[in-house]
């Protein structure tokens, strides 16, 4: 119940569906695939065909859907899963983002039951402070400086000397 969006009733439903013995699932991906929250991967000749989720346990998918829906609400507290949902929703749409959050929740449950640890939230600003490569940081700085110049600001003092 330490995972955001998971109440005692949802936790009982998830545990009732998968059990507490995680030795039957060697990796979290196996559990997610069994539950049916893995995206399909159907490519042929460089074209991406259907990428619908696989069939899985309908009851577990229902419980995970409720939890992901609670996380997606705008009134819930800021946390890692909520920021992950909103990041993906911009690019992929609300339904795919919800399935991705379900996958994250199930992966966290697998780790919690396998390693006997509590859930550790990475925080809503995890993606803002995520370690990035120097190339990415330089590219982002150039893009932001170009945006400021476009808006009419004088950025001659902001440009580092070694990046010119």
């Amino acid at each position: 119940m330490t995972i955001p969006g998971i109440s005692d009733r949802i936790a009982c439903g998830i545990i009732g569906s998968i059990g507490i013995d995680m030795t039957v699932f060697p990796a979290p991906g196996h559990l997610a695939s069994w539950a049916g929250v893995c995206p399909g991967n159907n490519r042929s000749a460089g074209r991406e065909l259907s990428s619908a989720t696989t069939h899985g346990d309908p009851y577990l998918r229902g419980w995970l859907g409720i939890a992901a829906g609670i996380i997606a609400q705008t009134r819930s507290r800021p946390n890692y899963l909520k920021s992950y949902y909103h990041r993906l929703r911009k690019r992929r749409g609300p339904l795919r983002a919800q399935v991705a959050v379900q996958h994250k929740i199930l992966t966290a449950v697998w780790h919690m039951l396998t390693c006997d640890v509590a859930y550790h939230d990475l925080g809503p600003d995890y993606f803002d402070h995520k370690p990035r490569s120097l190339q990415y940081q330089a590219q982002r700085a150039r893009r932001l400086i170009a945006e400021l110049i476009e808006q009419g600001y004088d950025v001659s003092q902001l440009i580092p000397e070694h990046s010119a």
Side-chain angles (χ1 to χ4, degrees), residues 2-164:
T2 57
I3 300 174
I6 304 285
S7 65
D8 55 348
R9 183 171 278 178
I10 294 172
C12 288
I14 291 172
I15 295 298
S17 295
I18 64 174
I20 58 170
D21 181 23
M22 290 292 111
T23 57
V24 291
F25 303 110
H30 290 264
L31 174 59
S33 179
W34 177 82
V37 293
C38 283
N41 185 13
N42 188 5
R43 293 183 184 189
S44 176
R47 288 182 24 208
E48 186 170 331
L49 304 172
S50 171
S51 59
T53 56
T54 57
H55 296 288
D57 185 1
Y59 300 107
L60 180 57
R61 287 181 66 155
W63 290 117
L64 292 171
I66 292 169
I70 291 170
I71 290 169
Q73 288 179 352
T74 56
R75 299 178 96 189
S76 64
R77 286 188 178 157
N79 56 54
Y80 169 74
L81 292 173
K82 183 176 179 178
S83 64
Y84 182 71
Y85 170 81
H86 287 289
R87 245 177 125 239
L88 278 180
R89 191 182 77 173
K90 286 186 255 181
R91 289 178 300 156
R92 307 283 289 162
L95 294 179
R96 287 180 189 245
Q98 193 168 13
V99 172
V101 169
Q102 292 174 11
H103 189 278
K104 288 269 187 196
I105 291 171
L106 207 52
T107 301
V109 168
W110 183 88
H111 282 288
M112 291 169 67
L113 293 175
T114 303
C115 305
D116 196 28
V117 295
Y119 176 75
H120 173 70
D121 192 52
L122 297 174
D125 57 348
Y126 172 76
F127 295 107
D128 298 334
H129 304 295
K130 186 177 173 182
R132 312 273 183 171
S133 68
L134 292 175
Q135 180 183 4
Y136 173 83
Q137 290 174 355
Q139 181 182 10
R140 182 168 185 248
R142 283 192 301 273
R143 187 183 72 240
L144 291 173
I145 288 171
E147 212 172 296
L148 284 172
I149 291 170
E150 210 174 273
Q151 300 239 342
Y153 288 97
D154 179 28
V155 293
S156 56
Q157 301 90 0
L158 298 176
I159 301 175
E161 296 169 16
H162 63 279
S163 68

